[in-house]
Amino acid sequence: MQGVVKRYGNAVALDYVDLAIYEGEIVGLLGPNGAGKTTLIQTMTGMVPIERGTIKLFGQSNNPFTHANKEKLGLVTQEITVYDELTAKENLQFFAGVYGLKGSERKERVQEALAFVGLAEYADKVPTKFSGGMKRRLNIACALTHRPKLLIMDEPTVGIDPQSRNHILESVKKLQEQGTTILYTTHYMEEVQEIASRVVIMDQGQMIKGGTVDQLIQSIQHEERIHIDVADTSLLPVEQLQSIAGVMHVDVAGTRVTVISTAGSGNVDRILSLVKEYTGVLGIQTENPDLEDVFLTLTGKQLRDGGGEA
Amino acid sequence: MRILSTVQFTGLRMLRNYIVLLLLLVVPILLITVFSFILAGVETETGEKPLHGVVKIMVVSFQLFGGSIVMSYIQHEFFTAHRMRLNMIPIRKELYAFSIMMCGTVYSILLGVILMLYSQFALGIPWNWAWSIYVITLMAILSSIVCLIFALAVRSFKLAERLSEVYGVGFILLAGLFFPMPDNAFFDFMGSYGNPLMLAMLSIQAIEQSNAGEAWFTANILLGAVVLLFVLMLVLGRRRIG
């Protein structure tokens, strides 16, 4: 998609968004709640019309949302969209049927999808008897029976136990090995760090930055990050810390203050002595940056809460 | 063919919806049974049994509520999170909506026929089967269309539900089944030819009295309402679903 704009009233949901997804890769779309991830999915699947820009799907830009192209797409919705009155097997039979699968082929694909998400032994149980994680896995399986070329997963691990999350992440990696291209949206940075070939960071309807995890982390290697555990964060002179030469950002969370500075600015002594003037220092730690840090640096926000300025 | 493949699952979902079964099958069976005890042995001066009329009007009355099945399934598929998944599926959405409507209507007719079977074989109420099923079919289709119009015309599903209840309870009320209505032209009309419940009853009674002309006339008014409202439903459906 190129230069895509979508507004809801005065609110800009997508602001000249460019995104390319190449065959065989897992693109991790990372952004806080309200960043525009779901709107992006809705526009790239033709569910909501765009105001500007172009969308090209499987090489087709003029009316890309044909039935033929939809057959190559799979969607794992953020909300669980399975039928509670149907068993796991019947749910998959329903979705396989609407993709035109019949007879033995349909039976085979349903069994394959159930086995893939680890629900083969629960085939004849209704989802109301499932745990949250099992429902999520069934939700994923519903999008797999027709073997999509491009699978869009909209926050597929929200609200589930670590065991199910691991199972889902392993499944995503297996799908990629089988040749499926995946767009994986989440606000859990450790998930994209684990599975994504490429990461795109999105905030307030804009694509902030994209690249491999390593490339993104390297892009902020010009920074130093110091974590200082203090006795009382309420006494911290945050504004004074921010005014020290080289300091880019100060983040206070719990009993810890994180100071991000330009690399080589030589201000560590000054920072420590200033903190010591106001409160006791319990410990100091330096840390290699991760995607969370990339996000914080690029947007000034914590990824998890998605909201407040840090 | 793809739409046809969904029908069996829509049907299964309806059959396994125990609340619908409770409200549209168990409750009327209980009510009919209670009335059969109350009116057992009661006869008019002309030898007619009031129980027969009461049971028939109850069986037909519950068809007024059958449309709520279609309404809730359409709402679930097209106006909740399912909409997103449905949008990705390579099928014609309006045909899928129509298939849900047909399933719900057939299910409602089936429940009506079960009530007829129960009343005939357990309570000895005689029915003109072919004609009564035709009239019940018209009532089921009308109810489905009316409820769909409510679901498509208003944004809030809760409001649509309330409107569907007003449709059902309102026409029972206007038929004077709860208490007598005032004696004026409006209530006379709404208690006869302006009321689908009364049209259905008049039609069933007319055929039992071998008055085929009146039976066809009243049934055709119902049919006319079905056709007119179907057009309205199509217009609204294209706007909201298509």
Side-chain angles (χ1 to χ4, degrees):
Chain A
M1 53 203 305
Q2 206 166 21
V4 170
V5 176
K6 175 67 193 171
R7 288 187 188 88
Y8 290 107
N10 290 328
V12 182
L14 297 177
D15 193 4
Y16 292 93
V17 166
D18 296 330
L19 175 66
I21 301 169
Y22 303 102
E23 199 173 340
E25 66 176 353
I26 300 178
V27 175
L29 182 60
L30 197 61
N33 293 330
K37 304 188 296 289
T38 299
T39 306
L40 180 90
I41 289 172
Q42 288 174 334
T43 54
M44 68 185 286
T45 55
M47 190 176 170
V48 294
I50 56 172
E51 285 164 38
R52 273 179 178 219
T54 52
I55 295 174
K56 201 188 229 182
L57 204 56
F58 303 112
Q60 196 176 336
S61 57
N62 184 23
N63 185 23
F65 308 111
T66 57
H67 281 190
N69 275 348
K70 281 184 175 179
E71 283 182 9
K72 298 178 202 164
L73 281 174
L75 174 69
V76 178
T77 50
Q78 187 175 342
E79 286 183 56
I80 294 167
T81 48
V82 298
Y83 298 112
D84 284 341
E85 305 92 340
L86 301 178
T87 64
K89 189 165 78 180
E90 287 164 348
N91 264 287
L92 297 194
Q93 284 171 339
F94 172 86
F95 286 105
V98 293
Y99 281 99
L101 299 171
K102 283 180 271 185
S104 58
E105 190 186 17
R106 180 169 87 164
K107 199 174 166 187
E108 193 182 296
R109 294 282 188 91
V110 165
Q111 281 170 346
E112 181 186 290
L114 280 170
F116 188 78
V117 295
L119 291 176
E121 59 187 297
Y122 301 97
D124 295 319
K125 296 263 188 296
V126 287
T128 47
K129 309 269 183 211
F130 288 1
S131 68
M134 289 162 79
K135 280 185 191 173
R136 285 259 161 220
R137 276 144 60 189
L138 179 60
N139 201 38
I140 292 171
C142 289
L144 297 180
T145 52
H146 64 294
R147 292 182 186 155
K149 282 190 170 177
L150 171 61
L151 180 65
I152 299 166
M153 306 182 85
D154 190 6
E155 310 225 16
T157 58
V158 171
I160 58 167
D161 56 283
Q163 196 186 350
S164 285
R165 174 173 293 179
N166 289 339
H167 195 288
I168 288 171
L169 295 180
E170 287 305 316
S171 304
V172 172
K173 283 192 262 187
K174 263 191 237 166
L175 281 170
Q176 187 202 22
E177 286 162 17
Q178 290 168 7
T180 310
T181 306
I182 296 161
L183 175 66
Y184 189 98
T185 83
T186 183
H187 58 272
Y188 296 115
M189 63 95 192
E190 61 272 29
E191 289 184 1
V192 288
Q193 201 150 359
E194 186 179 337
I195 62 169
S197 341
R198 194 157 59 88
V199 180
V200 177
I201 294 176
M202 189 173 187
D203 188 36
Q204 293 182 333
Q206 293 180 322
M207 291 299 179
I208 308 288
K209 200 155 192 162
T212 63
V213 174
D214 287 343
Q215 283 170 345
L216 288 172
I217 290 171
Q218 274 171 19
S219 72
I220 61 159
Q221 285 289 15
H222 56 281
E223 293 171 0
E224 287 172 349
R225 185 170 298 258
I226 311 156
H227 298 292
I228 309 167
D229 292 316
V230 295
D232 186 352
T233 49
S234 66
L235 301 172
L236 279 171
V238 176
E239 283 184 14
Q240 285 183 59
L241 281 170
Q242 279 171 335
S243 66
I244 293 174
V247 170
M248 296 161 67
H249 193 83
V250 178
D251 182 34
V252 181
T255 58
R256 172 169 284 197
V257 56
T258 302
V259 181
I260 304 167
S261 296
T262 312
S265 53
N267 56 11
V268 179
D269 283 347
R270 177 78 190 100
I271 291 166
L272 273 176
S273 57
L274 182 61
V275 171
K276 279 178 187 170
E277 272 181 42
Y278 289 85
T279 181
V281 173
L282 305 174
I284 305 168
Q285 193 186 333
T286 56
E287 192 189 83
N288 290 327
D290 60 15
L291 272 181
E292 184 81 47
D293 303 315
V294 174
F295 193 83
L296 182 65
T297 306
L298 294 175
T299 67
K301 287 177 186 169
Q302 296 282 0
L303 189 55
R304 283 289 161 76
D305 57 32
E309 294 291 321
Chain B
M1 274 308 289
R2 292 182 182 195
I3 298 291
L4 280 180
S5 77
T6 67
V7 171
Q8 96 178 83
F9 298 105
T10 307
L12 271 177
R13 289 171 59 207
M14 288 178 179
L15 286 170
R16 290 174 188 168
N17 190 329
Y18 302 116
I19 294 172
V20 170
L21 279 177
L22 183 75
L23 293 177
L24 295 183
L25 189 66
V26 178
V27 169
I29 283 177
L30 287 176
L31 283 173
I32 288 169
T33 309
V34 168
F35 274 99
S36 74
F37 284 120
I38 295 170
L39 297 173
V42 178
E43 282 187 15
T44 62
E45 288 172 355
T46 54
E48 290 169 2
K49 292 183 175 173
L51 176 65
H52 291 187
V54 168
V55 168
K56 282 175 186 176
I57 206 161
M58 289 187 78
V59 170
V60 177
S61 295
F62 274 90
Q63 287 302 319
L64 289 169
F65 300 95
S68 58
I69 308 169
V70 171
M71 187 172 70
S72 67
Y73 279 80
I74 289 286
Q75 197 269 344
H76 184 261
E77 290 294 281
F78 291 91
F79 305 118
T80 65
H82 274 258
R83 186 182 179 191
M84 200 161 164
R85 179 162 256 165
L86 196 65
N87 189 65
M88 293 282 288
I89 296 172
I91 54 171
R92 286 179 61 186
K93 285 185 282 180
E94 62 275 22
L95 276 184
Y96 180 52
F98 187 71
S99 78
I100 293 173
M101 184 191 150
M102 291 310 295
C103 280
T105 306
V106 169
Y107 186 46
S108 183
I109 296 165
L110 183 71
L111 294 178
V113 171
I114 293 172
L115 290 178
M116 287 168 68
L117 282 168
Y118 174 76
S119 62
Q120 173 140 359
F121 294 106
L123 308 173
I125 311 292
W127 289 89
N128 181 316
W129 277 84
W131 191 257
S132 299
I133 289 175
Y134 173 61
V135 171
I136 279 178
T137 302
L138 287 175
M139 286 290 283
I141 297 172
L142 184 67
S143 176
S144 295
I145 292 173
V146 168
C147 288
L148 268 185
I149 288 173
F150 291 147
L152 296 168
V154 299
R155 291 268 167 204
S156 157
F157 182 63
K158 284 199 182 300
L159 177 60
E161 277 183 318
R162 295 296 87 76
L163 288 171
S164 73
E165 286 161 10
V166 168
Y167 167 75
V169 177
F171 279 119
I172 293 174
L173 194 78
L174 287 168
L177 296 183
F178 292 146
F179 47 81
M181 287 285 112
D183 188 14
N184 62 43
F186 173 76
F187 286 107
D188 283 349
F189 177 72
M190 293 312 288
S192 55
Y193 294 110
N195 187 329
L197 174 59
M198 290 317 293
L199 283 168
M201 281 313 296
L202 287 171
S203 188
I204 290 170
Q205 282 164 1
I207 209 78
E208 284 169 356
Q209 290 158 6
S210 305
N211 187 351
E214 175 71 3
W216 276 109
F217 176 68
T218 45
N220 283 344
I221 297 175
L222 276 178
L223 184 62
V226 165
V227 172
L228 279 177
L229 293 174
F230 185 78
V231 174
L232 177 62
M233 185 197 74
L234 278 186
V235 173
L236 290 170
R238 282 193 181 159
R239 193 167 59 92
R240 289 287 304 273
I241 293 173

